[in-house]
Amino acid sequence: MARIVMKFGGTSVANLERIRHVASLVEKEAKGGNEVAVVVSAMSGETNRLVALVDELDADAGPDGKKWGEAIEDEYDSIVASGEQVTSGLLAIALRRRGLRARSWLGWQIPLRTDMAHSMARIAEIESSAIGPSLADGNIAVVAGFQGVNEQRRISTLGRGGSDTSAVALAVALKADRCDIYTDVDGIYTTDPRIAKDARRLNRIAFEEMLELASLGAKVLQTRSVELAMNYNLPIRVLTSMAAEGEENPGTLVCHEDETMEERVVSGVAYSRDEAQITLLRLKDQPGMVAKVCKAMAEANVIVDMIVQGISKSDRAANLTYTVGKRDLEKALAALEKSKDTIGFEGVKSDSDVTKVSVVGIGMRSHTGVAQTMFEALAKRNINVKVIATSEIKISVLIDAEYTELAVRALHSAFELDQAAKLKVSAP
Ligand code: ADP
Ligand code: ASP
Ligand code: MG
């Protein structure tokens, strides 16, 4: 007998018909003699709908006529977490209608404890003392993903896409034998299959590569879920919930690097439309200026990502360009306005019509020429690069959003990701 965690994303529980289908997949595992905990997301589109409601009300002016009044993150969490409450209850009913014993669990009932960072909380601890024995008693646990409870007993949420992290953390806490993430694609691809039709499903991908792809925008897994799985050495399988009865569904195994992985320099292309670019004009070219800008951003709780300083002219002024999350742009601009005199710059320009496109591969550590191939491929399509960032296993560029698809497809074919590669060791 094995203990299994199965996670179903928004499209997999989009309506009652899909929820009934999910119940049939869960039933198969339970009838196979396994202990099953299921983690569910909200119905697709529901979290966006709830976020939009909060944003609309939050945009109302305060009593002094100004925006940016009191923070509302605690209420944001309690509102957006509600989508998962609905789907966990519905799936529990669907399972009971199949004659199975099942109950829903909300974050606070487990409890899944988090830190105090509302809207992007980190999991601190999952108590398995209630849910574990319930599983061992033959009950199926249907857990609302994405949500937890903080030390002030308020509801918290784990950031967008956070149900993946709920599932991996639960699998770790329950010492599960398997963690299967069911979604609307049949595995991890060389790039988003919605953009490049010739993207290929990988049989296996290394944790490190998946971690980079996820943090650079491949939303198929939340970054923290991969981080957690890597730290606890828990392989996760990503597969589709849409397979027809009897159809093969091998998915992709995310695990430590091994010899059955493809040998290539670049293994994937990711993109993120969640970026915004800020340029400070004529910033004094003196030591400590960038630190002042970063301090202003940190105080406003804004994360700075890519950063580039223009070549300084003889009059000792330079332009500084950096990127922040699109959702943080207004907050960042307000913070800059407030500290304009202490920082010392002449003007600000911003642009949220930008995309970050990245190539990722462990092989970049030991191969040269990746940057050249990348920039030649972009230049051939006349795509202008605004900002560049690199690390050991990735190169990212910021480009105009209108070229996103073109750039992703160009890089995907420049690195021959549409073609099968040799395995590190040929299959026996
Ligand atoms: P769920 O609702 O099941 O959590 P998501 O929408 O969060 O599903 O993630 C699945 C989506 O991730 C896919 O529909 C696909 O468009 C996108 N995606 C982006 N990059 C990749 C990739 N490299 N491989 C597979 N899917 C990807
Ligand atoms: N429902 C949440 C979201 O849309 C969490 C998730 O789907 O993983 O971000
Ligand atoms: Mg998701």
Side-chain angles (χ1 to χ4, degrees):
M1 193 214 299
R3 185 172 269 191
I4 303 174
V5 171
M6 305 170 81
K7 181 257 169 179
F8 294 91
T11 335
S12 306
V13 293
N15 51 46
L16 292 183
E17 191 195 335
R18 299 249 46 105
I19 289 176
R20 289 189 186 103
H21 178 65
V22 165
S24 75
L25 298 176
V26 174
E27 178 179 29
K28 212 171 283 164
E29 295 288 10
K31 292 249 165 95
N34 301 304
E35 288 177 8
V36 187
V38 190
V39 174
V40 285
S41 292
M43 292 179 176
S44 63
E46 178 63 4
T47 311
N48 286 347
R49 188 184 74 84
L50 295 166
V51 170
L53 288 176
V54 176
D55 281 351
E56 192 178 331
L57 208 52
D58 186 33
D60 287 358
D64 54 0
K66 285 202 200 109
K67 265 182 81 181
W68 303 116
E70 208 187 332
I72 47 92
E73 279 96 349
D74 50 345
E75 301 305 342
Y76 166 97
D77 276 351
S78 104
I79 295 158
V80 303
S82 65
E84 274 72 8
Q85 174 161 348
V86 173
T87 44
S88 59
L90 288 173
L91 181 58
I93 294 177
L95 289 165
R96 287 184 192 174
R97 286 295 168 266
R98 289 179 166 263
L100 298 160
R101 279 192 286 145
R103 67 154 281 192
S104 62
W105 294 80
L106 300 181
W108 65 268
Q109 292 171 320
I110 297 175
L112 185 155
R113 296 184 208 283
T114 72
D115 66 10
M116 291 296 297
H118 277 294
S119 82
M120 48 177 194
R122 288 188 90 98
I123 298 176
E125 188 199 5
I126 299 187
E127 258 183 47
S128 55
S129 54
I131 203 165
S134 171
L135 288 179
D137 260 0
N139 295 297
I140 297 170
V142 187
V143 174
F146 185 47
Q147 50 170 268
V149 59
N150 68 26
E151 61 196 37
Q152 285 177 0
R153 300 176 66 203
R154 300 293 318 255
I155 289 175
S156 50
T157 59
L158 308 178
R160 297 306 305 271
S163 298
D164 298 326
T165 305
S166 310
V168 173
L170 191 67
V172 170
L174 291 172
K175 299 192 172 50
D177 301 288
R178 263 165 52 205
C179 180
D180 293 340
I181 310 255
Y182 287 82
T183 181
D184 56 358
V185 282
D186 63 352
I188 310 289
Y189 277 69
T190 45
T191 192
D192 189 344
R194 284 178 207 273
I195 288 209
K197 294 290 165 243
D198 53 2
R200 284 179 318 106
R201 181 179 59 79
L202 298 162
N203 285 319
R204 287 169 173 250
I205 185 167
F207 282 130
E208 278 174 291
E209 284 173 329
M210 192 61 236
L211 194 59
E212 283 285 0
L213 284 174
S215 71
L216 294 168
K219 292 189 173 145
V220 58
L221 286 176
Q222 198 197 31
T223 309
R224 281 179 188 166
S225 69
V226 187
E227 211 169 48
L228 207 59
M230 182 160 102
N231 289 344
Y232 286 90
N233 191 18
L234 173 81
I236 37 188
R237 187 173 293 280
V238 176
L239 64 175
T240 179
S241 67
M242 317 281 166
E245 181 79 40
E247 195 184 339
E248 265 190 61
N249 189 10
T252 300
L253 194 70
V254 188
C255 57
H256 277 301
E257 190 183 3
D258 72 14
E259 275 116 29
T260 60
M261 287 174 185
E262 291 184 358
E263 183 167 37
R264 47 168 86 246
V265 182
V266 164
S267 46
V269 180
Y271 64 93
S272 165
R273 300 185 202 266
D274 298 335
E275 316 284 316
Q277 173 190 334
I278 297 177
T279 302
L280 298 182
L281 303 166
R282 296 188 58 78
L283 183 71
K284 269 185 236 136
D285 191 13
Q286 285 172 357
M289 299 313 287
V290 180
K292 279 190 191 170
V293 175
C294 292
K295 181 165 177 255
M297 293 300 103
E299 281 171 0
N301 261 324
V302 173
I303 294 173
V304 173
D305 180 16
M306 308 166 95
I307 185 159
V308 66
Q309 187 164 356
I311 303 157
S312 86
K313 305 247 171 63
S314 50
D315 62 358
R316 301 188 66 77
N319 292 348
L320 182 80
T321 296
Y322 61 96
T323 63
V324 299
K326 209 172 255 179
R327 264 189 87 82
D328 285 341
L329 180 60
E330 277 194 57
K331 218 164 44 165
L333 294 175
L336 285 171
E337 186 57 42
K338 221 170 72 188
S339 38
K340 192 168 178 189
D341 296 335
T342 21
I343 300 176
F345 54 87
E346 284 182 14
V348 188
K349 278 198 312 198
S350 68
D351 185 357
S352 52
D353 269 338
V354 289
T355 300
K356 179 167 70 173
V357 180
S358 312
V359 299
V360 171
I362 290 178
M364 284 166 67
R365 284 186 186 137
S366 49
H367 286 77
T368 54
V370 176
Q372 184 191 348
T373 307
M374 180 168 191
F375 294 117
E376 279 176 2
L378 295 171
K380 223 161 76 196
R381 274 90 179 170
N382 265 325
I383 300 172
N384 191 31
V385 172
K386 296 157 167 285
V387 188
I388 303 167
T390 63
S391 80
E392 211 186 7
I393 66 165
K394 70 120 200 270
I395 304 178
S396 302
V397 293
L398 194 74
I399 59 168
D400 276 330
E402 63 178 307
Y403 299 119
T404 308
E405 281 87 358
L406 185 62
V408 168
R409 289 182 197 133
L411 295 173
H412 191 259
S413 69
F415 289 101
E416 297 177 351
L417 292 173
D418 47 350
Q419 291 159 39
K422 280 201 317 250
L423 295 183
K424 287 192 176 136
V425 161
S426 16

